[in-house]
Amino acid sequence: MKYGFFDDQRKEYVIETPATPLPWINYLGSEDFFSIISQTGGGYSFYRDAKLRRLTRYRYNSVPSDTGSRMYYIADGEALWSPAFAPLRAPLERFACRHGLGYTVFESAKNGLSAQLTCFVPIGAPCEVNHLVLTNQTDAVKEIDVVSAAEWCLWNAQEDAQNFQRTYNTGEVEIDGSTLYHKTEYRERRNHYAFFAVNRELTGFDTDREAFLGRMNGWDSPQSVLERKSRGSVAHGWTPIASHRVHLTLKPGERAGLIFVLGYAELPQEEKWEALDVINKEPAKKLLSRFQSEEQVALALEELARYWERLLGRFSVVSGDDKLNRMVNVWNQYQCMVTFNLSRSASFFESGMGRGMGFRDSCQDLLGFVHMVPERARQRILDLASVQLEDGSCYHQYQPLTKKGNADVGGDFNDDPLWLIACAASYIRETGDAAILAEPAPFNSAPGTEAPLFEHLRRSAAFTAGHLGPHGLPLIGRADWNDCLNFNCFSTDPDENFQTASNTVGEVAESVFIAAMYILYGKQFAELCRRFPEYAPFDAAEQARRFETAAAEMERSVLASGWDGEWFLRAYDAFGDKIGSSECAEGKIFIEPQGFCVMAGVGVKTGEARKALDSVMRLLTTKYGTCLLWPAYSVYDKRLGEIGSYPRGYKENGSVFCHNNPWVSIAETMLGNPENAFGHYARIAPAYTEDFSDIRRVEPYAYCQTIAGQEAPTQGEGKNSWLTGTAAWAFVNVSQYLLGVRPTLDGLEIAPCLPAAFQSVEITRVWRDTKYSITVFRGEEIGVTVDGQKIEGNIIPHKKGRKECEVRVVI
Ligand code: GLC
Ligand code: GLC
């Protein structure tokens, strides 16, 4: 069952009913101002930091779960309705929610009045614009009231949700014509305020929630809306809001456009005030002057469209498979940008108050957006390197506002350091900017400790080398990629956090997964040493040799102690017992080392690789994707950690943890199996799951983190959509391995691995300064032709100054 459809022409997903199984959201904003918006207009807005600069309030665990933010009430004679359906939820004669690239449009109608509400965050403006167009489609004159409402969050979202003895006293507002200002705490330490404005004269307003709603009513039936009379309330403490009332007289056929702007302003300390207690409104007025007319709004929307065209234009495909096209050309890349902007902070599954930027998460996200925003990726890499410690280990998280490592969570996730090599190497392959290796970054954000990025990478690799266990495999520390394998934790206290508790020194438990990472990224580090010795503050040739040797040794260790007969082992626990072995009662096979060992080339020549991927297919792969492990753990075992805290089939305990499915798909391409590889890709790719949206439940245009696995009662159900490393890895998978357009240090490698059903595909790839128009088709004479010349091999060397390049590939 579907709840809408893809409008490929407009690059939109069109939702045709407000009653999607879960909030189906979109993200507005691409710089500092962000909003979440659901298919009924719910969500919230914030400036840069979803916890510390929350602008509008969101109620956690509320029902319906997506109320809030932009609320509009239309009173048309007897009829009362909302153009986005919520909050009034009156039945509509027409409803569509079009989620597009950085904007959302609601189209609705009732009693001969049609509404179109376009919501977006303009480029270069810290605000959300809501353009509401009403058209009278009857033969009679209509007298209409439009009432808006936004509930302010008192900035710190966590305080706002719990510290009422304070917050009920601090709320302050100012009213100036049609602009309603929120200035709580501005008198003291804040130098920012928010405002909600409309480009019309008001016939009424409210700024106090209780006055607006009435004592017994909610947002779906505000007393002042029911009585068609705003109270003119001025909030003093309690819960400040902003609500406008605008009256319209619409003749038959007449339309009216209203422009609402929810904005944010920051001022230097000395310019904060106009007079005692009167805020300086200049920045707000300046911002509002940019969105007074419908022409201005239209231009801002065009600018937004151009912005996305530029970003997405760097990779596109015409393949004959609509689902593939829409994933690659629009939604997957779009989601990669969302993870770039928001990491794991704010979604309907992430509260915006919890995790900062995850170290490994951000490193991996980068693999998916580096081709779109290379300059910003460069800065991100240096920020990440700055939270590395002198011994090469890393803080597991850092705070986006301060860019400092998060000491509460600490480090010791022993996979973290290696991801820094993964992202730096990927950046250099994309841009050719090897000079980044010489760029200084401090350790532990401490000024004075700066060392070139190259040295940071060396310490990453050296950290693993220096932390090996009894089998010569890397020690796992608190956990590796799988946050729930906590072999050194032994927690029996429900009030303890698995992520921070550790009760043993951890000199025994080893990870085959980190071993695979070490082989793959250790070799990539060695390659950087060979290519760019001029940037190395160390003997590059020696380091290259060291890590090439170490990688080869590690490969031997994996085959000697990390191979279980039919698949790769997952780990050894703190007692040296095998995890992920046929000898185990539960958790016999894990997906992560299968994909990653093959990606690292382990057992490719000797046959273990093929066996491992066949075992994955046999034991883990289902219609809804490939599960993380099998059989799931039925009991909680303190020796394993958080993994057994989840019921069977959920999260790390045997769901389809989408993030790692691309690894298996990539591995299949490396063994030359396009059908298997594509199967692994398509099973979790949202567009391919659209037909059973009722089972999957999350948005059919965004990857989710987990899908309930084969042992779960709700198999096939997705959770935690949007902010997942799946986006980046799925894009790496489809762009570099299935479509096979792969940046390398030598040039652009073209190695498509596509099922027989694809007879020909056209790919456009902008790489460095060149636009490559690549045609792939099947034929006898396999090979690559570049601008009419057949080349040796399949790597097109980068040529400076070349603007365009025609490539024909026969497969
Ligand atoms: C979550 C975390 C990620 C981790 C994964 C598996 O997605 O953000 O860092 O690798 O879970 O536990
Ligand atoms: C829990 C989750 C895991 C996530 C981690 C970090 O362990 O199961 O997916 O990565 O928390 O917040």
Side-chain angles (χ1 to χ4, degrees):
M1 187 182 158
K2 303 203 291 184
Y3 300 87
F5 61 93
F6 286 93
D7 183 334
D8 294 324
Q9 215 55 46
R10 294 168 55 157
K11 300 187 165 63
E12 294 172 342
Y13 192 80
V14 187
I15 301 168
E16 295 172 292
T17 165
T20 51
L22 290 165
W24 282 11
I25 68 166
N26 193 11
Y27 285 91
L28 313 180
S30 37
E31 292 152 326
D32 295 324
F33 190 107
F34 294 99
S35 299
I36 292 179
I37 182 166
S38 80
Q39 84 291 352
T40 62
Y44 56 87
S45 301
F46 57 93
Y47 182 77
R48 288 186 59 194
D49 187 308
K51 177 178 171 190
L52 300 175
R53 297 286 184 278
R54 186 75 66 91
L55 303 182
T56 48
R57 180 171 286 157
Y58 174 71
R59 255 178 209 84
Y60 293 91
N61 270 340
S62 184
V63 278
S65 58
D66 60 335
T67 46
S69 233
R70 49 205 86 63
M71 295 181 274
Y72 294 98
Y73 304 85
I74 295 172
D76 170 16
E78 285 300 292
L80 275 180
W81 55 284
S82 293
F85 183 69
L88 278 171
R89 298 198 300 272
L92 300 175
E93 283 150 28
R94 195 153 77 80
F95 173 86
C97 163
R98 298 177 161 269
H99 282 321
L101 299 173
Y103 67 88
T104 290
V105 182
F106 299 93
E107 294 168 345
S108 48
K110 196 174 175 77
N111 297 346
L113 182 67
S114 74
Q116 187 184 51
L117 173 64
T118 305
C119 306
F120 68 105
V121 171
I123 301 288
C127 65
E128 179 183 318
V129 172
N130 291 177
H131 181 211
L132 177 64
V133 178
L134 296 176
T135 311
N136 179 0
Q137 291 171 324
T138 68
D139 299 334
V141 175
K142 278 183 181 285
E143 299 291 339
I144 296 158
D145 264 6
V146 176
V147 177
S148 73
E151 185 180 16
W152 300 115
C153 177
L154 305 193
W155 303 114
N156 180 325
Q158 203 166 345
E159 284 278 294
D160 182 72
Q162 62 191 31
N163 194 5
F164 309 114
Q165 60 81 26
R166 172 176 164 83
T167 56
Y168 284 168
N169 294 285
T170 54
E172 289 191 285
V173 299
E174 250 180 67
I175 297 141
D176 181 32
S178 299
T179 309
L180 307 172
Y181 290 88
H182 176 225
K183 58 170 188 177
T184 298
E185 291 185 349
Y186 190 75
R187 279 185 317 102
E188 32 132 338
R189 293 162 299 170
R190 294 192 183 277
N191 60 358
H192 44 262
Y193 59 74
F195 50 94
F196 192 28
V198 60
N199 66 339
R200 296 266 174 162
E201 287 220 355
L202 302 186
T203 51
F205 69 85
D206 273 296
T207 64
D208 178 74
R209 188 184 72 195
E210 263 50 57
F212 176 72
L213 292 179
R215 172 70 185 86
M216 303 302 286
N217 299 28
W219 295 105
D220 57 355
S221 56
Q223 201 70 41
S224 63
V225 170
L226 299 182
E227 290 172 10
R228 280 128 171 103
K229 195 168 168 7
S230 297
R231 311 306 199 217
S233 57
V234 180
H236 300 288
W238 296 110
T239 41
I241 63 163
S243 169
H244 310 95
R245 179 179 292 268
V246 174
H247 184 79
L248 301 170
T249 303
L250 287 185
K251 293 197 211 87
E254 199 184 358
R255 79 187 270 294
L258 280 67
I259 303 165
F260 292 89
V261 176
L262 177 81
Y264 171 90
E266 240 171 43
L267 289 100
Q269 182 67 28
E270 31 334 320
E271 292 169 26
K272 276 174 71 171
W273 303 101
E274 212 167 281
L276 182 68
D277 275 352
V278 182
I279 61 177
N280 177 353
K281 304 186 181 62
E282 270 326 298
K285 288 186 176 151
K286 218 166 131 200
L287 183 68
L288 289 172
S289 70
R290 294 167 59 186
F291 305 103
Q292 286 307 298
S293 71
E294 297 196 281
E295 292 71 39
Q296 287 174 311
V297 169
L299 285 175
L301 271 169
E302 276 170 32
E303 193 185 353
L304 185 66
R306 278 196 306 276
Y307 169 84
W308 280 108
E309 222 172 81
R310 245 193 339 268
L311 290 183
L312 304 187
R314 297 183 67 93
F315 197 110
S316 63
V317 66
V318 181
S319 71
D321 175 348
D322 289 344
K323 293 174 180 158
L324 182 68
N325 296 349
R326 55 179 73 119
M327 282 318 312
V328 172
N329 299 345
V330 185
W331 298 100
N332 193 174
Q333 295 196 76
Y334 184 58
Q335 188 174 354
C336 287
M337 283 306 293
V338 171
T339 64
F340 166 69
N341 287 322
L342 294 156
S343 186
R344 304 292 174 272
S345 70
S347 72
F348 267 94
F349 300 88
E350 300 281 6
S351 68
M353 306 189 293
R355 306 199 253 170
M357 310 275 286
F359 189 91
R360 80 160 80 87
D361 297 335
S362 300
C363 288
Q364 291 172 85
D365 290 347
L366 193 134
L367 308 177
F369 62 71
V370 63
H371 69 291
M372 289 184 275
V373 283
E375 347 45 63
R376 297 175 81 184
R378 187 180 210 271
Q379 187 53 49
R380 180 65 59 82
I381 294 169
L382 298 172
D383 288 349
L384 284 160
S386 309
V387 296
Q388 182 171 42
L389 305 177
E390 305 236 4
D391 71 352
S393 67
C394 303
Y395 273 111
H396 193 48
Q397 293 173 3
Y398 75 99
Q399 298 308 121
L401 267 188
T402 61
K403 295 191 177 177
K404 287 223 166 85
N406 180 348
D408 293 345
V409 178
D412 294 341
F413 293 79
N414 283 355
D415 62 318
D416 273 335
L418 292 170
W419 293 115
L420 188 62
I421 301 178
C423 75
S426 140
Y427 168 80
I428 295 169
R429 289 193 296 266
E430 176 65 33
T431 59
D433 171 25
I436 191 179
L437 292 168
E439 219 38 75
F443 291 100
N444 195 9
S445 316
T449 60
E450 286 76 8
L453 177 66
F454 219 160
E455 174 61 14
H456 283 266
L457 303 187
R458 191 194 65 76
R459 292 197 196 187
S460 288
F463 177 84
T464 311
H467 291 80
L468 302 182
H471 299 90
L473 300 168
L475 292 171
I476 196 168
R478 273 183 207 288
D480 61 16
W481 174 88
N482 189 328
D483 276 333
C484 295
L485 289 179
N486 317 117
F487 300 139
N488 298 310
C489 172
F490 296 93
S491 183
T492 50
D493 176 357
D495 302 326
E496 203 166 57
N497 185 330
F498 287 103
Q499 303 290 302
T500 49
S502 64
N503 301 315
T504 68
V505 278
E507 296 295 328
V508 177
E510 299 166 291
S511 160
V512 176
F513 176 77
I514 303 181
M517 279 186 81
Y518 182 66
I519 298 166
L520 183 61
Y521 299 128
K523 281 190 204 157
Q524 292 189 7
F525 172 71
E527 195 186 4
L528 293 176
C529 290
R530 293 229 178 269
R531 298 295 179 110
F532 309 109
E534 65 272 32
Y535 297 117
F538 43 74
D539 181 340
E542 186 213 312
Q543 291 296 320
R545 274 194 304 278
R546 173 181 175 196
F547 285 102
E548 279 156 2
T549 312
E553 239 165 66
M554 186 60 75
E555 187 165 349
R556 283 194 291 277
S557 303
V558 170
L559 289 173
S561 311
W563 176 248
D564 193 55
E566 295 291 320
W567 54 78
F568 293 99
L569 275 182
R570 179 63 176 85
Y572 287 94
D573 69 13
F575 303 93
D577 290 335
K578 292 177 182 173
I579 302 296
S581 158
S582 58
E583 294 164 22
C584 302
E586 296 181 329
K588 289 172 185 291
I589 175 172
F590 281 67
I591 191 174
E592 306 101 301
Q594 320 312 330
F596 235 84
C597 284
V598 181
M599 279 166 66
V602 183
V604 170
K605 290 203 190 90
T606 41
E608 289 87 351
R610 184 64 263 153
K611 262 194 189 166
L613 296 188
D614 286 343
S615 300
V616 166
M617 198 66 106
R618 194 170 70 251
L619 300 171
L620 299 176
T621 299
T622 71
K623 173 179 174 206
Y624 301 109
T626 300
C627 300
L628 190 147
L629 59 83
W630 175 87
Y633 294 102
S634 57
V635 288
Y636 170 69
D637 181 346
K638 69 174 183 196
R639 290 175 303 178
L640 304 184
E642 184 171 0
I643 195 154
S645 74
Y646 288 110
R648 289 189 297 159
Y650 295 100
K651 287 281 277 185
E652 280 87 345
N653 193 13
S655 74
V656 174
F657 210 105
C658 298
H659 187 136
N660 50 44
N661 279 224
W663 299 341
V664 176
S665 177
I666 293 170
E668 287 283 8
T669 66
M670 295 181 63
L671 300 189
N673 283 293
E675 307 288 337
N676 288 358
F678 200 83
H680 284 299
Y681 168 75
R683 274 186 288 273
I684 62 158
Y688 290 86
T689 68
E690 189 197 12
D691 286 336
F692 49 89
S693 292
D694 49 333
I695 296 173
R696 193 169 177 276
R697 303 188 74 220
V698 288
E699 298 91 334
Y701 46 88
Y703 281 96
C704 57
Q705 184 198 47
T706 66
I707 297 169
Q710 54 190 339
E711 294 167 82
T714 58
Q715 190 185 0
E717 176 188 67
K719 283 198 190 113
N720 199 359
S721 50
W722 284 100
L723 302 181
T724 161
T726 314
W729 275 108
F731 192 69
V732 170
N733 179 17
V734 70
S735 61
Q736 299 189 27
Y737 292 90
L738 293 166
L739 295 169
V741 180
R742 201 149 58 223
T744 73
L745 296 177
D746 294 314
L748 195 62
E749 182 173 357
I750 316 279
C753 183
L754 290 165
F758 291 90
Q759 280 305 307
S760 75
V761 300
E762 283 166 36
I763 302 161
T764 305
R765 173 65 154 106
V766 180
W767 184 58
R768 304 190 187 173
D769 328 308
T770 313
K771 179 173 165 191
Y772 294 84
S773 307
I774 305 163
T775 316
V776 181
F777 51 95
R778 299 196 184 265
E780 293 294 300
E781 259 191 71
I782 290 174
V784 179
T785 310
V786 178
D787 289 332
Q789 298 277 314
K790 185 103 190 256
I791 62 164
E792 203 54 54
N794 63 348
I795 298 180
I796 310 166
H798 172 62
K799 227 196 248 165
K800 240 190 144 74
R802 171 156 66 183
K803 286 268 152 291
E804 310 239 327
C805 183
E806 292 285 332
V807 184
R808 292 167 65 80
V809 188
V810 182
I811 56 169

